[in-house]
Amino acid sequence: MKALKDPGNALTRGLAAIRVQYGIEAGFPADVLAAANEAAARAPTDHADRTSLPFVTLDPASSTDLDQAFTIEPSGKDLLLHYAIADVAWFVDEGGAIDREAWRRGTSQYLPDGKAALYPPVLSEGAASLLPDGPRPAIVFAVRVAPDGAARLEGAERAIIRSRAKLAYDRVNPADLPGLVPLSDRIHAAEQARGAARVNPPAQEIVPLGDGRFELVFRPQLESELRNAALSLACNLAVAKALREHGTGLFRVMAEPDDWAVRRLRHTARALGLHWKGSASLPDFERGLDSADPKQAAFMLAVRRASPGASYEPFRAGVKPWHAAVAATYAHATAPLRRLADRYVVQAALAVANGRKVPAPLTEAFEKLPPVMARADALGGRIERAAIDLAEAVMLSGRVGETFSAIATEVDKKGVRIQLCDLPVVARVQAQGIEAGDKLGLRLAAADPESGTIAFEPAPG
């Protein structure tokens, strides 16, 4: 879970309860494991030899489910990104035991102390993962990136690759990776030109202070992580464009936040002491945020919570799929080990890049996937929210009875939604005669690490 880290294992008991509450299954049925073991031994027979290309992976140091590997080369004024994506479809038989279980799960689910993977580890952390311990089957996309950052899918093939190194975000200098800095600069400049405002808040980490007390702090994203994300963005944009031009595909779509959400965010900004000019739009304000500043990082987290949420939408003639945060037509194609939908998008892109008709089973899957992915995404959101609630309860458990300043960000039938002014905590309180924007003094009435709940009440006087 990117949103929360718990290196000191302060949340162990509470996380175990969350796993039970949401039915998080770390293991797999026996028939799925048997099928995965058999599939892991499958030798690629439909793949070109691209082991001479100097692919590397770049991920968190602890990651073993490696979806992507890359190498970049100049091509005139353009840059050519060779982006290898794990060829999950090679190992998974449609309608078989592994496939049926993947459709039931939809995505991998993450908690601070581990994950429930989409596919069994023998595949997701072994034969299908682009680890540097041997050749691996992959779909290699050739993505041409122009000087203005426009990304175009130039080709795709099934290939055998060999990663030269498993690089970690916190141990690599992006300037040492040929092409990474100029390519990511182009992608980020193109985002700015489109007016994109992707919000990707840094992770929160629960840190022990001693005497049984804890603090929630933000850990800013590293430069290497931000630059690596640009590669996935470039590939996903190029794939989405190619699929739409060929009248097929499954797209990731998201609307702009509603007016009420923007009003709530203005109150949140005020609570956090951030100056948001009345004439500036939310995207304009977002683009100036610095995730290294805890207050601004907390606001980025609030923006994500206020988002209407992204969903999946199959191709429809005459309809332009749109992702507001990306400010473009967008697809998910770069994480097939962790998202079911990506496996099908990758296969469709492989077909259209080679002038072939997209097989009917893929088109049919595009119609069936949106509710499956929506259910999995919703579950992931609930798990993440429960883990953050738990961390907040642990952090505040020694401060019951203290008074905190807050701003009311919204008033509805459920009560008053508040943002604490000095901590990245959002909660609700029952109070009368309060309007959005009012400043409140609140007493912490309860903080229960066992249930992951906190409760505030109006402070006396």
Side-chain angles (χ1 to χ4, degrees):
M1 177 182 290
K2 183 177 181 180
L4 181 64
K5 296 180 181 179
D6 179 29
N9 299 315
L11 310 179
T12 299
R13 291 178 60 185
L15 292 175
I18 290 173
R19 288 176 178 275
V20 172
Q21 179 182 358
Y22 292 104
I24 305 302
E25 303 172 55
F28 288 84
D31 62 331
V32 177
L33 293 175
N37 286 327
E38 182 179 343
R42 191 173 293 171
T45 59
D46 191 27
H47 297 70
D49 185 349
R50 297 291 179 259
T51 54
S52 63
L53 291 175
F55 283 103
V56 297
T57 61
L58 182 55
D59 296 274
S62 60
S63 293
T64 50
D65 51 344
L66 309 184
D67 287 287
Q68 314 111 12
F70 68 92
T71 185
I72 302 167
E73 63 176 328
S75 180
K77 293 183 179 180
D78 298 336
L79 293 170
L80 194 59
L81 167 65
H82 299 281
Y83 209 43
I85 306 299
D87 191 1
V88 178
W90 181 255
F91 297 98
V92 179
D93 296 326
E94 291 296 318
I98 304 171
D99 183 53
R100 292 193 301 271
E101 183 68 11
W103 276 82
R104 190 179 72 83
R105 296 186 179 216
T107 65
S108 296
Q109 298 293 354
Y110 294 86
L111 284 92
D113 61 349
K115 68 185 176 187
L118 179 61
Y119 297 105
V122 69
L123 294 178
S124 62
E125 300 178 48
S129 178
L130 302 183
L131 293 160
D133 57 358
R136 292 291 194 278
I139 306 297
V140 179
F141 291 122
V143 179
R144 182 171 292 275
V145 180
D148 66 357
R152 175 169 59 86
L153 184 63
E154 189 165 276
E157 63 175 353
R158 271 193 150 131
I160 298 296
I161 72 159
R162 184 188 294 271
S163 173
R164 299 293 197 271
K166 179 181 181 292
L167 304 177
Y169 291 140
D170 60 349
R171 302 172 193 171
V172 70
N173 181 353
D176 293 337
L177 299 175
L180 177 60
V181 170
L183 191 148
S184 59
D185 282 346
R186 292 182 180 190
I187 297 302
H188 291 146
E191 282 195 277
Q192 294 291 315
R194 293 196 307 271
R198 288 186 300 129
V199 173
N200 202 3
Q204 288 180 282
E205 184 173 311
I206 189 159
V207 177
L209 299 176
D211 299 325
R213 296 180 300 116
F214 297 87
E215 181 181 15
L216 264 176
V217 300
F218 285 98
R219 296 300 186 199
Q221 289 181 284
L222 299 171
E223 179 192 357
S224 56
E225 187 174 1
L226 295 170
R227 292 193 179 279
N228 191 48
L231 305 186
S232 288
L233 178 61
C235 184
N236 286 329
L237 290 171
V239 165
K241 186 174 186 293
L243 292 179
R244 183 166 181 262
E245 288 175 348
H246 286 80
T248 187
L250 182 70
F251 303 93
R252 191 70 163 158
V253 298
M254 189 176 78
E256 296 277 3
D258 293 331
D259 289 343
W260 65 265
V262 174
R263 288 194 296 270
R264 190 173 82 190
L265 287 169
R266 284 191 176 275
H267 295 311
T268 299
R270 178 170 161 248
L272 296 170
L274 306 180
H275 180 58
W276 181 353
K277 291 182 180 179
S279 59
S281 67
L282 175 59
D284 288 341
F285 185 57
E286 291 175 80
R287 282 190 286 272
L289 295 174
D290 179 4
S291 64
D293 181 289
K295 298 282 190 178
Q296 296 181 53
F299 183 82
M300 295 170 72
L301 184 61
V303 172
R304 189 174 68 179
R305 290 173 176 171
S307 163
S311 60
Y312 290 88
E313 187 176 284
F315 173 81
R316 296 282 185 264
V319 176
K320 185 177 183 179
W322 193 253
H323 194 294
V326 179
T329 298
Y330 183 67
H332 272 166
T334 57
L337 290 173
R338 290 169 278 170
R339 292 188 299 249
L340 172 65
D342 293 40
R343 169 160 49 107
Y344 295 91
V345 173
V346 166
Q347 292 178 81
L350 178 64
V352 302
N354 289 280
R356 300 194 299 266
K357 184 178 180 180
V358 174
L362 295 184
T363 302
E364 293 167 4
F366 292 152
E367 297 294 330
K368 298 174 183 177
L369 279 164
V372 174
M373 300 305 295
R375 183 180 69 246
D377 285 347
L379 175 60
R382 290 193 294 271
I383 292 168
E384 181 174 314
R385 181 64 253 177
I388 292 175
D389 287 347
L390 173 64
E392 292 174 350
V394 169
M395 173 183 65
L396 292 170
S397 61
R399 303 183 66 177
V400 173
E402 290 187 29
T403 299
F404 298 82
S405 294
I407 295 288
T409 59
E410 184 182 12
V411 180
D412 57 23
K413 294 179 180 178
K414 297 179 182 178
V416 180
R417 182 186 180 99
I418 60 95
Q419 167 74 57
L420 294 189
C421 295
D422 297 317
L423 292 172
V425 173
V426 176
R428 285 190 177 273
V429 62
Q430 298 301 317
Q432 301 298 319
I434 303 298
E435 295 184 358
D438 287 353
K439 189 168 185 178
L440 309 173
L442 298 176
R443 175 184 174 276
L444 180 62
D448 183 2
E450 294 295 321
S451 62
T453 58
I454 56 177
F456 288 94
E457 61 187 16

